[in-house]
Each structure stands twice: as C-alpha cells, then as structure tokens.
Amino acid sequence: MLKKAGIVAALIAIAAWGLYQFAGLRVTLDGSGIWPRFVSREPDYDLLDADRARQRELPLPTPAVSADSPQPRVTPAPGTEPAHVEHKEATTPPDRPTVEGTGARGRGYWPDFRGPNRDGRYDETTIRTDWPKDGLPRLWKQPIGLGYGSFVVAGRRAFTIEQRRGQEVVAAYDVETGRELWTHGWDGEFAESMGGDGPRATPTYHDGRIYALGALGELRCLNAPDGELVWRRNILSDNDAPNLSWGMAAAPLIVDDKVIVLPGGPHGKSVVAYRRTDGEPVWKSLDDPQAYASPMLVTIGGVRQILIVSATRAAGLTSDQGTLLWEYPWVTDMGISVAQPLLLGNDRVFLSAGYGHGAAVFEVTRAADRFTTRTVWENTRMKNKFTSSVLYQGYIYGLDEAILACLDAATGELKWKGGRYGYGQVLLSGDHLVVLAEDGAVALVRATPERHDEVAKFSAIAGKTWNHPVIADGRLLVRNLREMAAFDIRPR
C-alpha cells in the first residue's frame, strides 16, 4: 500500500513539473488549504500588448484635474455611460480612531494603500447596496501585468504597478474608461515560485506625484500628470539590506516633507525617511528585519507617530527623527506579518497574522514622556494571512485565514464565522463590507455582529486575486495578476 502511494505521489509530482515547465502552469492550494488548482506562471503579454495598442488608436479622454479641485465628468467609452445619480456624502463613524492620511481630500480620491487613512474604510460617499443579480454595472475590463499591488486614485486617474516582461512598470489609467494614459518602467523582475511574480507594494499619491516601490527595492518619484521621473533610489542597496523572501511589499508613506520606507537594513537602517522632493536621506532608524506590512501615520497617547510592524515587533517612532517611542513583541512564523495594524480608539492596537499565529490587542499608555505597552487580549480567532481587518462600531471584521469572521474588539470574543472567500480582501463602507474573494468574486456582506449575512455576490475578474480593491467616487476598481476591471457602485 505504501509503495503504491509513493508511486502515485511521484506521478503527481512529475505531472506538476511537466505542467510547470511546458504549459506554464503551477499547482497551488486555494483558500481552503485543501483543494489544488492550476494557475499560470505569467500573463499573456501578447494579449496585453494588443489591448494597449488598440487603446492608443482611441482618442484620449478629457484631461483629469487635481484631486483637490472640482472634478469634471470624463466621457466614458461608448456603451459604458452610467445613469446619473445624486452624489451623497457619507458620514464619518463616531468610533473612528485618529489615523492620518496623505494630503487633502477631494472627490474621487484614494491616494494611499487601503484608502486615505490606510484603514480599509470608504466614506467619501454611500455605496449601492441593492446589487443586481448579475452584479454591479461594469464600466470596463481589460488585461493587466503581473503583481499584487493595488490602485491609488486621484483626479479621475488610477495608478498601479505591474510586471510587463522584464520590467516593473508604473501605469496611469483613466478611471471611467480604463484607457492607459502613460507608463514608466525600469528593468527588474522579481520571481517567486510559491506566491507569484511581480511587484507587491501599492504606489502612493501625494501633491501631484506618485511614489512607487518595486519588489527589488527600486523607489521612484514620478509626476502624476505624465509619469516623468523626478528622482530615484534603491532602498535595498542604499541601506545594505537583503531583500525579503517575497519581495518589498510595504507601500511608501508620506509624512510632511518625507517619504517613509522599510528596507530592513542593519545598523540603524531598517526604517528610512527620504526627502520627498528630491530623494535625499533625512533619517534612518532601528535594526529590525522587516516584514510585509506598510507603515502608518497615527496619533497614540496624544503623540503623532509612525506605526510599523516588523518581523519581530510593532513599534511607534517619532515622525521628525524616527526615535523609538514604544515597542510590542510580535514574532510570527518566518517573520511573516502582512496584515495592517488596526487602531481601536487612540490607545489600543489590533495585530493579526496567519500561519496559525492569531491576533492580539495591546494598549499603549503614556506617562509624561514615557510609553508602556500591555496585552489586553490574544487568541487564534482571527488569523489575517494576506489580508487586513476593519473596525466598525466596536467589532472587528476580517478573514480568519480563508473564512470571514467577526470579533468583539474589546474582548476578542468570536461573534460569528462564515462565508468562504479564500485569501481575499475586505473593505468597509457604511454598514457593509465589500469582500473581494480569492477567486475574483465580489461580495456584499452586512457589518453586523449578529451573523454572517451575505447580501449579494458576483464574479468580477478571473484568476487568483490577492490584490486589495479600491472605491473612489463611487467606482469600484479591482485587479489581480491578469485582469483589471471597474464597476459602478454608486447608489441608485
């Protein structure tokens, strides 16, 4: 019996190797961790090139203006004009903690990873909650290059980073039509057989410029209107830092006149601030090996600070010099921390990690100029693997590995667990969750501690989808390793 099992295992391994070598496919497990599936090693670049060549034959859309100015309506592609609806302003939830965003706000503005405050909330307008049975109205869908970065949106333009053959490419798209407006690329190709190839970090928009970080450490500042290079650095070679196993993934953070990045270099070069106007170093701090979570600008204990999660701890740093204010031990399997920290009020922080690790809430207390931390609760009820949780009215909603769950933020008590979405992503809008599942489906779920209540679900894009969704001015943008699409999520 054991001999037969060994022969079967060997045949499966040979078949997987053959698919990988000759068909461009590899075997991976879905979000359940049980069922195998075949995924392509690379996109169809010929299809991508043909699509962009077709777009170049079309007239350019009306130029977008600054995100801080009144936004004109851009004429969409034929047949995709959505019905006119009244713009409804959303209200900010009263329990929202103090998290600072990037720059001033405006219509159609999503300048940062997971939103203006990096907390996965969309509160620019209300969204549609009576979704049609066949899904939200689609504005467009088209091919895209490899990568796990999300979009940032400003001035009716969506910016992302993707792999196109041997280059990492920053691209600007018209939100209404999907029309590619400009690209800026450089030689570089990050390949990783388990997770997938391509850049990871979402670009950041600030004051008319894009700050993009490639998986190999290339940091570039570009003019948002035309993609022209302003300055460049390589944060790994600059700081004698080795790359992470799964590449640089932390989105650059703008703090005043600085851009904060996490190269993970030794000898005080783990967290680095460059001057955002010209790329000159401002300060360097800590010795931590880094992880995959992005830095955040927050206020804790009445002090404005940079919150990071490295491979060994969470920490707060002063924004002006990078001085360590406090730390909280957070050691995970292989140093893999991907989930963003979540502020619960202005003195408590929620952390989560996958691979069986679990979650914890700790409290930061300030006495004069000294900070201390203590654990409030910890358990294994919320294991964010490649995703991050959101907070609504005292409850935490997120993916416990591949299943959606709700926890009481004060106690860690599990309220419910249900709905298999794989290793997808979660956004909060009003009293609903927008869940982008690992298979490319989009679901609408009520944010209630009572039960898992899925209102609607439809297939948006095809293939493995680990990228974060975006909502800006009532447009839902999604992408993965092969496709990108936009949907009208404005209320009717």
Side-chain angles (χ1 to χ4, degrees), residues 444-461:
L444 184 68
V445 179
R446 297 187 200 280
T448 171
E450 299 301 320
R451 64 189 183 282
H452 172 247
D453 185 4
E454 184 180 275
V455 178
K457 187 178 183 181
F458 71 97
S459 179
I461 50 179

Side-chain angles (χ1 to χ4, degrees), residues 255-256 258 273 282-283 304-306 317-323:
V255 179
D256 304 325
K258 299 175 287 294
V282 178
W283 55 254
R304 186 172 181 254
Q305 57 193 268
I306 298 166
L317 308 177
T318 61
S319 60
D320 56 346
Q321 294 181 330
T323 303

Side-chain angles (χ1 to χ4, degrees), residues 412-424:
E413 177 190 0
L414 177 67
K415 305 304 293 184
W416 55 257
K417 183 175 179 179
R420 291 185 176 272
Y421 300 102
Y423 297 125

Side-chain angles (χ1 to χ4, degrees), residues 109-359:
Y109 192 64
W110 186 276
D112 242 315
F113 175 56
R114 300 186 71 237
N117 300 298
R118 299 197 170 191
D119 59 359
R121 287 179 183 257
Y122 173 74
D123 53 19
E124 179 187 7
T125 68
T126 56
I127 65 168
R128 182 177 185 176
T129 56
D130 59 335
W131 292 9
K133 290 184 178 180
D134 57 351
L136 294 168
R138 190 174 74 193
L139 301 176
W140 48 265
K141 184 167 75 170
Q142 63 195 30
I144 193 172
L146 287 167
Y148 291 115
S150 181
F151 297 99
V152 290
V153 178
R156 302 262 186 207
R157 291 185 173 193
F159 307 88
T160 192
I161 185 170
E162 54 196 86
Q163 190 74 40
R164 297 192 185 179
R165 293 190 166 88
Q167 285 201 324
E168 293 182 317
V169 175
V170 181
Y173 297 95
D174 178 65
V175 170
E176 292 292 313
T177 66
R179 170 68 148 83
E180 184 181 272
L181 302 174
W182 57 255
T183 61
H184 176 97
W186 58 87
D187 292 343
E189 186 172 10
F190 180 83
E192 199 284 309
S193 61
M194 291 182 63
D197 305 340
R200 273 82 166 124
T202 298
T204 300
Y205 172 90
H206 182 85
D207 196 21
R209 289 182 173 177
I210 296 294
Y211 299 83
L213 177 66
L216 300 172
E218 183 73 9
L219 174 65
R220 298 210 173 190
C221 173
L222 310 173
N223 280 325
D226 56 15
E228 181 183 353
L229 177 66
V230 179
W231 56 262
R232 60 164 294 273
R233 310 285 301 214
N234 189 287
I235 68 170
L236 295 179
S237 59
D238 261 8
N239 299 289
D240 304 315
N243 202 354
L244 299 177
S245 298
W246 288 277
M248 291 283 97
L253 174 69
I254 303 300
V255 179
D256 304 325
D257 60 347
K258 299 175 287 294
V259 53
I260 312 299
V261 291
L262 308 178
H267 312 300
K269 294 179 286 188
S270 178
V271 184
V272 175
Y274 293 103
R275 197 159 55 211
R276 68 178 176 86
T277 54
D278 58 13
E280 287 300 306
V282 178
W283 55 254
K284 302 185 179 187
S285 181
L286 304 188
D287 304 316
D288 299 42
Q290 282 298 339
Y292 304 90
S294 299
M296 297 175 65
L297 182 62
V298 302
T299 298
I300 296 176
V303 177
R304 186 172 181 254
Q305 57 193 268
I306 298 166
L307 172 60
I308 69 156
V309 180
S310 73
T312 59
R313 59 179 171 172
L317 308 177
T318 61
S319 60
D320 56 346
Q321 294 181 330
T323 303
L324 180 67
L325 295 170
W326 56 264
E327 61 180 333
Y328 180 80
W330 186 248
V331 180
T332 60
D333 186 42
M334 296 185 291
I336 301 175
S337 285
V338 179
Q340 288 300 112
L342 183 64
L343 261 64
L344 313 178
N346 291 323
D347 61 357
R348 290 187 176 187
V349 181
F350 168 83
L351 300 175
S352 182
Y355 301 96
H357 190 80

